[in-house]
Amino acid sequence: MTPTLALALEDFVPVLLTLLALVWLNRMVFRMDRRSGYIAVLGLLFVVLGGLLKATSKLFWVTSGEPVAWMEDSLFLLMAPGFAFLAWAIWCGQRSLFRDIQPRFVWQTPMILLLIVGGGTFYAYGADLERTWFFVLLTLVVVMSTLMLILLSRHAWHYRLKRIAFLFLLYLALTLVLNGLARTPSPTLGVEWSKQLINTAAAFILAFASWRLWLATQ
């Protein structure tokens, strides 16, 4: 199914909303622990770059008639370590803020994970196991994004922002639905539009909740 121009352009909207959300979360993490803040910046770059390449691939698909394979494949390859970095940075920052514990191995842990993901992906492509590794990366994205959102919900709850904590959990529920849908192709434009609109709604919820949480931590 070839996407329309409107569908391709709309795919950039959740990328922008996610960027805004992660900028606010990065600023919050920097206030908790500066070293963890730099890890969060790396997580932001990985996640946003993955979404941007995926959306750009869809735009090329419309203009040239074919998607760019390496851009398509980069989505979960970049998002897996990206969400892991963000979850680790938030966890380290919360230990510093809530328990006054200096986090250890702030840089070493995410770098080891990055080597494992990169090495495993390289091996999978060489051994013609691309589809297997896709599901591994998808599972890693689900696990790490879930951990990140639970930590954010906990953070909001600490500041008695119960509605914001609920919004992070709502975003989690929507992303779990989207990750399930990502395992199957879209048979029609209507199904693809449904996926993208759910993704955009989820990104808006994340941006709003992140903004409110950042304000509460000032």
Side-chain angles (χ1 to χ4, degrees), residues 162-179:
K162 296 181 181 180
R163 292 181 181 178
I164 302 304
F166 169 77
L167 286 179
F168 283 121
L169 295 179
L170 176 59
Y171 174 80
L172 172 59
L174 290 174
T175 55
L176 291 176
V177 171
L178 286 169
N179 286 322

Side-chain angles (χ1 to χ4, degrees), residues 61-77:
W61 192 355
V62 173
T63 56
S64 67
E66 293 184 4
V68 182
W70 70 267
M71 286 185 174
E72 290 274 337
D73 295 339
S74 67
L75 178 64
F76 293 113
L77 176 62

Side-chain angles (χ1 to χ4, degrees), residues 115-185:
L115 288 174
I116 293 173
V117 171
T121 304
F122 180 79
Y123 169 78
Y125 273 94
D128 197 25
L129 299 172
E130 295 95 333
R131 198 63 185 169
T132 300
W133 195 248
F134 165 79
F135 287 113
V136 173
L137 289 175
L138 179 58
T139 301
L140 187 58
V141 168
V142 172
V143 171
M144 292 303 171
S145 60
T146 298
L147 178 58
M148 181 192 78
L149 292 163
I150 290 173
L151 290 171
L152 289 174
S153 182
R154 170 198 178 196
H155 207 87
W157 196 269
H158 176 82
Y159 288 94
R160 299 182 180 179
L161 299 171
K162 296 181 181 180
R163 292 181 181 178
I164 302 304
F166 169 77
L167 286 179
F168 283 121
L169 295 179
L170 176 59
Y171 174 80
L172 172 59
L174 290 174
T175 55
L176 291 176
V177 171
L178 286 169
N179 286 322
L181 294 174
R183 298 173 184 268
T184 58

Side-chain angles (χ1 to χ4, degrees), residues 54-113:
K54 180 67 165 57
T56 303
S57 173
K58 188 171 291 186
L59 185 59
F60 284 159
W61 192 355
V62 173
T63 56
S64 67
E66 293 184 4
V68 182
W70 70 267
M71 286 185 174
E72 290 274 337
D73 295 339
S74 67
L75 178 64
F76 293 113
L77 176 62
L78 292 171
M79 281 192 169
F83 280 119
F85 283 16
L86 287 164
W88 174 251
I90 294 168
W91 185 76
C92 288
Q94 288 180 348
R95 283 174 62 84
S96 177
L97 177 65
F98 297 153
R99 302 177 62 184
D100 197 24
I101 297 176
Q102 188 69 18
R104 301 177 60 190
F105 310 114
V106 175
W107 282 97
Q108 293 90 330
T109 300
M111 291 302 108
I112 291 173
L113 176 65

Side-chain angles (χ1 to χ4, degrees), residues 14-61:
V15 177
L16 177 60
L17 290 171
T18 301
L19 172 61
L20 291 174
L22 296 185
V23 166
W24 284 315
L25 293 178
N26 268 250
R27 297 179 70 177
M28 184 186 74
V29 174
F30 264 111
R31 290 179 66 88
M32 293 191 290
D33 180 67
R34 192 165 189 81
R35 291 184 303 159
S36 301
Y38 291 116
I39 298 297
V41 170
L42 287 177
L44 179 153
L45 293 175
F46 276 112
V47 171
V48 173
L49 182 59
L52 186 61
L53 289 174
K54 180 67 165 57
T56 303
S57 173
K58 188 171 291 186
L59 185 59
F60 284 159
W61 192 355

